[in-house]
Amino acid sequence: MKQDQKGLTLIESMMVVALIGILATIAIPPAFRLYEDSQARDQVTEALDLLDSVKSPVAAFYSDKGRWPTSEEFDNLVPTRTGKYVASLTPESREKGFEVIAKFRNTGVSPSLVTEGSGRTLVLATANGKEWFCNDNTDPVSGIPDLVPGTVLPQHRPSSCK
C-alpha cells in the first residue's frame, strides 16, 4: 500500500519557522527605528506649534516697547507654555536677540527626545522680532551669534528647523 503525503513534515515545518524568525530578526529593528523617528517627529511638531504661538506676542511686545520681555512679562504674553510632550517654554534675552527654549519631558516621550535623563530642547530665536530662526542658527551674519543651540537631533526636526 502506498500512502500519499499531505502537508509538511516536521523538519520542513521547523525550517519554515526558522526562516520566518531570521527574516523577522533582520526586518524588525529598522522598522522599529523608523517608527521611533516618526513618533519623535510628531512630538517635535507639538513643540514647534507652541513656539510658533510665541512669535506674534513677542514681536508685538518688542515693536511696542523696543525691548524683549522679561520672564514675568513673557508669562503674561504666552499663557500656554507646556504640552503633552513639552515640559516648558523658557524665554531668554540675548545680547543680540531673544530666544525661547522648548524643553521636552524626560518621560512619556520618544526615547530619541531624551538625552542623559533630561529632555532635549528645540530653540526659536529672533534678532529683530520679524525673522525667526529655529534651533541652531548661530551664524553672525544671518543668525544670532550667542544663541544656545537646541539638542533635538536633525532627523527629528521639521524642515523649517534644519
Side-chain angles (χ1 to χ4, degrees):
M1 291 199 325
K2 186 175 176 187
Q3 233 180 355
D4 287 333
Q5 180 181 349
K6 294 181 182 176
L8 300 174
T9 66
L10 179 60
I11 298 284
E12 290 169 334
S13 298
M14 290 174 59
M15 288 177 65
V16 168
V17 169
L19 185 60
I20 290 172
I22 291 169
L23 291 174
T25 302
I26 293 169
I28 289 176
F32 186 69
R33 257 191 308 276
L34 287 173
Y35 169 73
E36 277 189 341
D37 285 348
S38 172
Q39 187 180 33
R41 279 191 298 274
D42 288 344
Q43 293 171 1
V44 168
T45 300
E46 179 195 70
L48 194 59
D49 290 344
L50 282 172
L51 290 170
D52 280 344
S53 72
V54 166
K55 290 178 182 179
S56 184
V58 168
F61 184 93
Y62 183 73
S63 178
D64 289 345
K65 308 239 188 236
R67 64 177 177 82
W68 300 113
T70 63
S71 291
E72 295 79 23
E73 291 167 331
F74 181 82
D75 292 347
N76 292 330
L77 290 173
V78 182
T80 305
R81 293 182 309 279
T82 62
K84 184 175 180 181
Y85 308 112
V86 177
S88 65
L89 291 182
T90 306
E92 290 193 19
S93 291
R94 295 280 170 215
E95 183 179 329
K96 296 186 180 179
F98 184 78
E99 72 181 8
V100 181
I101 302 167
K103 182 173 179 143
F104 287 91
R105 298 183 186 281
N106 55 2
T107 59
V109 296
S110 171
S112 304
L113 295 177
V114 177
T115 180
E116 299 172 7
S118 180
R120 290 188 182 272
T121 58
L122 188 68
V123 177
L124 186 69
T126 184
N128 56 17
K130 296 175 187 164
E131 290 181 284
W132 292 85
F133 302 101
C134 186
N135 220 49
D136 59 3
N137 192 342
T138 57
D139 179 45
V141 176
S142 65
I144 299 173
D146 59 345
L147 174 68
V148 175
T151 58
V152 170
L153 300 173
Q155 66 264 31
H156 300 140
R157 295 183 212 155
S159 58
S160 61
C161 290
K162 291 186 179 182

